[in-house]
Amino acid sequence: MYKIVVVEDEPLLLRSIVRSIRDAHSGFRIAGEAMNGTAALEVIAQSNPDVVFTDIRMPKMDGLSLIEALRARGNAAKIVLLSGYQDFEYAKRALRHQVEDYLLKPLSDASLKQLLEKMHGDLNRVREEERRAMLESLVESDVHDQLPQAKLQAAFAPYASYGMLLICPGSVCTFSCDWFTPAKDYWLRTDLDRIVGESIGDGEDYWIYPFNHGNEKLVVLASRQALESYATSYAAIYERLLDGNFPVTVTASRAMEALSDLPFLLQMAKIVLKKRVVFGKSGLILPDSDTEAEALRRSEASGQNLHLDAKTESRLGFFLDNRKKEPYLQEVYRLLNVYRENDAPQLLLENLLKRLAGQAQAASAVVPESRRIDLDLEIDELISNAVSYKAVKEGLTFLLEEMFKAWGGGASEGSRALTLADQADRYIRERFAERLSVQSIADHFGVVAPYLGSLYKKQKGMTPLERIIQLRIGKAKELLAIKPPIPLKDIADAVGYDDPYYLSRLFKSVTGASPSEYRETHTKGDRAAFE
C-alpha cells in the first residue's frame, strides 16, 4: 500500500479530499495531513510518502515553493496539484516543476479514481524495477558484499519469507558458449513465467533471473506469510517443467526469512547442482534435514564406485598401444553403460571422458600436445550438447575414431570432411523450410549426428542447427516486411515451425526485436511474393 500526504489550507475541503482518496482506491493510505507548505515539509520528512496532494495557494508557503523545497531535498514523491478554476493558468505553469498532474476543486470522483489508478500502476512498475535491480545485485554480488538490510526490507516490505529454485535443463554448462545448445532450445519452448505463475500458492509472488551464461535460470519466490517450506510450490513447478525425455534438474533452497541469505544459498545451490546433477535424468533436489555440506558428502560417497580402476586403465592402455580400435571402443562403451546404470553425476562422467582423452593423447605420437586442450574443450562441448548417453556415445565414438584415423595417416580425411560439410550446407539451404533437424540431415548422409555437427562446425564456423535458424530467421524477416501483413502463424509454417509462439521467442532472441516490432519498422511492398 502506498502512502499519500494531503496539503490543503481549508479544513472542510481537506477532510473531503482525504475521504475521497480513501474511497477511490484501496491501494493508498493517508500518511499525513498539513494546512500549509511549511507544516507539510515536516509531515513529509516524517512519513516519507509516495504521493503528495497539495493546494497551490496557501499561507506561509504556497504549493510551488513546497515542490521546489522537496526537489531541493532530493524528494522524488509524485506531486498532484489541487487548484480552483481561477488558478488554471497558474497550475499549467506548475506542471513544469515535475508534477504528476493537477485536479480542479471540487474533486471529480471519476477523475480522482482514474488518476489514482494510473499512479498506482506507475508506482508498482517503479517498485518492481527497484526489486529486480536489488535481486540482480544480490545474485551477482559476493556473499560478503551485501546490500543494506534496511534497504532490502523497505523494498520487499510486504513479504515475510522467500524460496529459491535453480533450474537447469540438460547438462550443467561449466563454460560460456555462444552456439545454440539444446538447453537454449528448451528455454525457447518453455514459458517459465506462465509455469511459475500458475504453480505457486495464493499470496506468493516471484521473480525470474536468467544468467548471462550457462543453462540455468533462477526463480525467487516470496510470500506474505512466514512459510516454513515451499515444497508444494517447488514440486508443482518441477512437474510442469518436465518435457518428455528432456532432462531437467531443479535445486531448491530452504525457506528464507530474509533475502540477504540469497547470495550464500545461491552459491550452495550451484555447488549442489554441479556435483549432484545426474546426467541424462531429471531430478528435484529438495532441502532436507541435513546441511548442504552433508548432502554433498553423501553424493560424493555414492559415486566412489564409479572410477577408472587401475586394471581397466591398463587394459585400455594395451588396446591403445597396439592400435586395437574395436576392443578399445567396446571397453569404453562398457564403462559408459556402468555409469548410466548407476545414475552417475555429470561431474563424474566428465572426469571419466577427460581421463580417457588424456590417456589416448598420451599414447599418440601423431597428434601434437596442443590438441589435448582442444580435445578437453570438445568433451565439454559434447556434454553441453548431449542430453542422453546415446548422444555421448555417438559423439565420443566420432572423437576416438578421428584419433585412430590420425594414427593411420588418413590423408584424404580433410578433403572428405570439407566435401561432406559443403554437401550438408547445400542440403540445409535447399530444405531449411521443411521440418528439418540435425538428426534427419545426418541420417540422409549416413553419419551420426554428433559427427556431422562437429565436422560442420569446424568447416563452417557454426553448428547445423544454427545454420538452419539463420536461414529461417532470414526468410521470416522477408515475409514480415511484406504488406499487407502475413499472419505470424503462416510465416511460422512457411519457414519450418509448427508453433508461431516458438518462432516469436526465437526471432527476438536472434534479432533483439519481436516479429511485430520488426514488422513495424520494415513493412514494404505487397504479399505477392508469398502467394
Side-chain angles (χ1 to χ4, degrees):
M1 187 172 290
Y2 298 105
K3 296 179 290 185
I4 293 179
V5 165
V6 180
V7 189
E8 167 61 55
D9 63 330
E10 296 183 23
L12 290 178
L13 194 51
L14 174 61
R15 288 196 293 272
S16 174
I17 294 170
V18 167
R19 185 171 56 252
S20 296
I21 291 173
R22 285 172 175 161
D23 293 342
H25 203 291
S26 60
F28 295 91
R29 68 178 180 86
I30 303 300
E33 303 171 13
M35 298 185 67
N36 60 69
T38 303
L41 284 176
E42 184 176 346
V43 172
I44 291 169
Q46 293 175 350
S47 60
N48 191 27
D50 302 287
V51 182
V52 176
F53 279 69
T54 180
D55 192 9
I56 294 178
R57 297 180 183 271
M58 296 182 295
K60 295 185 179 180
M61 179 186 287
D62 64 20
L64 292 184
S65 298
L66 172 61
I67 296 169
E68 291 170 353
L70 289 175
R71 298 308 186 222
R73 297 181 181 188
N75 189 302
K78 291 181 177 294
I79 306 294
V80 177
L81 288 172
L82 306 174
S83 68
Y85 285 101
Q86 67 272 22
D87 297 325
F88 185 72
E89 293 299 323
Y90 192 30
K92 287 200 298 183
R93 291 198 304 272
L95 292 178
R96 303 182 191 130
H97 291 267
Q98 296 178 323
V99 301
E100 181 71 16
D101 207 341
Y102 69 91
L103 295 175
L104 295 176
K105 297 184 290 186
L107 300 186
S108 159
D109 289 342
S111 297
L112 177 61
K113 183 174 182 179
Q114 183 179 11
L115 176 59
L116 290 175
E117 286 284 357
K118 177 183 179 299
M119 288 195 299
H120 194 266
D122 292 343
L123 289 167
N124 279 343
R125 282 187 288 274
V126 170
R127 178 165 290 182
E128 187 62 21
E129 289 173 2
E130 291 175 350
R131 288 172 176 166
R132 288 189 177 277
M134 288 185 182
L135 280 174
E136 181 176 355
S137 180
L138 283 173
V139 169
E140 299 294 341
S141 70
D142 184 79
V143 173
H144 303 291
D145 182 21
Q146 293 283 310
L147 288 169
Q149 184 66 22
K151 191 174 182 180
L152 276 174
Q153 289 177 343
F156 293 87
Y159 305 111
S161 63
Y162 306 88
M164 183 199 75
L165 291 171
L166 187 61
I167 304 169
C168 178
S171 305
V172 177
C173 193
T174 57
F175 62 100
S176 179
C177 63
D178 56 2
W179 59 82
F180 196 81
T181 64
K184 291 179 181 178
D185 181 67
Y186 171 88
W187 283 127
L188 286 172
R189 291 184 283 106
T190 303
D191 189 348
L192 182 59
D193 190 58
R194 179 174 59 83
I195 287 174
V196 176
E198 293 176 355
S199 301
I200 60 177
D202 294 336
E204 291 182 27
D205 290 322
Y206 65 94
W207 297 270
I208 297 171
Y209 184 82
F211 295 99
N212 292 327
H213 60 83
N215 297 336
E216 301 87 28
K217 287 191 179 183
L218 174 70
V219 176
V220 177
L221 304 180
S223 175
R224 290 169 174 78
Q225 301 176 10
L227 300 180
E228 295 183 358
S229 171
Y230 282 83
T232 301
S233 294
Y234 290 161
I237 294 170
Y238 171 70
E239 289 297 326
R240 294 282 301 276
L241 288 170
L242 298 181
D243 182 6
N245 295 323
F246 198 95
V248 180
T249 304
V250 176
T251 302
S253 77
R254 57 174 171 79
M256 297 173 273
E257 293 181 1
L259 265 182
S260 55
D261 292 338
L262 180 62
F264 171 75
L265 290 178
L266 177 58
Q267 285 196 11
M268 290 303 301
K270 288 180 178 179
I271 295 172
V272 170
L273 184 67
K274 185 176 179 180
K275 291 195 173 185
R276 295 182 64 185
V277 61
V278 175
F279 180 79
K281 285 196 172 184
S282 296
L284 173 60
I285 305 173
L286 289 170
D288 51 28
S289 57
D290 293 336
T291 65
E292 285 86 350
E294 288 170 341
L296 288 176
R297 283 195 293 271
R298 284 203 321 274
S299 176
E300 291 168 352
S302 67
Q304 286 180 353
N305 295 326
L306 294 174
H307 64 278
L308 192 59
D309 60 79
K311 184 177 179 181
T312 302
E313 190 167 19
S314 176
R315 186 163 56 250
L316 287 167
F318 172 79
F319 294 145
L320 288 170
D321 291 339
N322 291 276
R323 305 299 190 254
K324 295 182 177 295
K325 184 180 77 169
E326 291 306 322
Y328 175 80
L329 291 178
Q330 291 305 313
E331 186 65 20
V332 170
Y333 298 158
R334 184 189 68 81
L335 285 171
L336 289 179
N337 282 332
V338 171
Y339 275 59
R340 177 180 56 79
E341 291 168 358
N342 286 275
D343 291 337
Q346 178 187 324
L347 185 62
L348 293 182
L349 178 62
E350 286 180 4
N351 291 341
L352 171 69
L353 298 183
K354 290 183 178 181
R355 192 167 176 184
L356 291 173
Q359 185 191 39
Q361 294 285 16
S364 173
V366 177
V367 182
E369 182 68 21
S370 61
R371 268 289 287 163
R372 178 174 301 188
I373 298 175
D374 293 338
L375 192 53
D376 278 356
L377 290 175
E378 287 186 24
I379 288 174
D380 285 334
E381 183 178 334
L382 171 62
I383 291 292
S384 71
N385 280 283
V387 294
S388 68
Y389 273 89
K390 179 178 181 292
V392 169
K393 179 181 176 181
E394 291 177 348
L396 188 61
T397 298
F398 160 67
L399 294 175
L400 295 175
E401 287 192 337
E402 188 180 55
M403 177 188 66
F404 277 102
K405 287 174 183 176
W407 288 343
S412 62
E413 184 64 22
S415 60
R416 179 183 179 277
L418 182 61
T419 301
L420 180 55
D422 287 339
Q423 290 176 344
D425 190 66
R426 183 174 63 186
Y427 187 83
I428 291 170
R429 283 186 280 110
E430 291 173 351
R431 294 172 173 80
F432 72 87
E434 301 174 7
R435 299 308 185 259
L436 201 61
S437 68
V438 178
Q439 186 62 56
S440 67
I441 300 169
D443 291 343
H444 176 79
F445 289 102
V447 296
V448 296
Y451 171 81
L452 176 66
S454 181
L455 182 149
Y456 188 93
K457 188 169 186 287
K458 285 180 181 178
Q459 299 294 337
K460 302 298 182 181
M462 66 177 69
T463 66
L465 183 56
E466 288 172 329
R467 178 62 167 151
I468 294 170
I469 291 172
Q470 181 188 66
L471 293 169
R472 287 176 172 177
I473 295 301
K475 185 63 177 179
K477 286 180 177 180
E478 293 179 16
L479 297 178
L480 285 167
I482 292 175
K483 188 176 181 181
I486 303 169
L488 188 60
K489 183 178 183 303
D490 293 342
I491 294 176
D493 186 66
V495 300
Y497 293 116
D498 295 320
D499 185 359
Y501 180 71
Y502 178 87
L503 172 60
S504 179
R505 299 183 70 175
L506 178 63
F507 191 94
K508 186 165 187 177
S509 73
V510 172
T511 67
S514 68
S516 59
E517 291 169 342
Y518 184 89
R519 196 198 300 267
E520 287 179 6
T521 57
H522 293 80
T523 302
K524 61 184 179 180
D526 56 42
R527 60 187 301 169
F530 180 71
E531 296 173 341

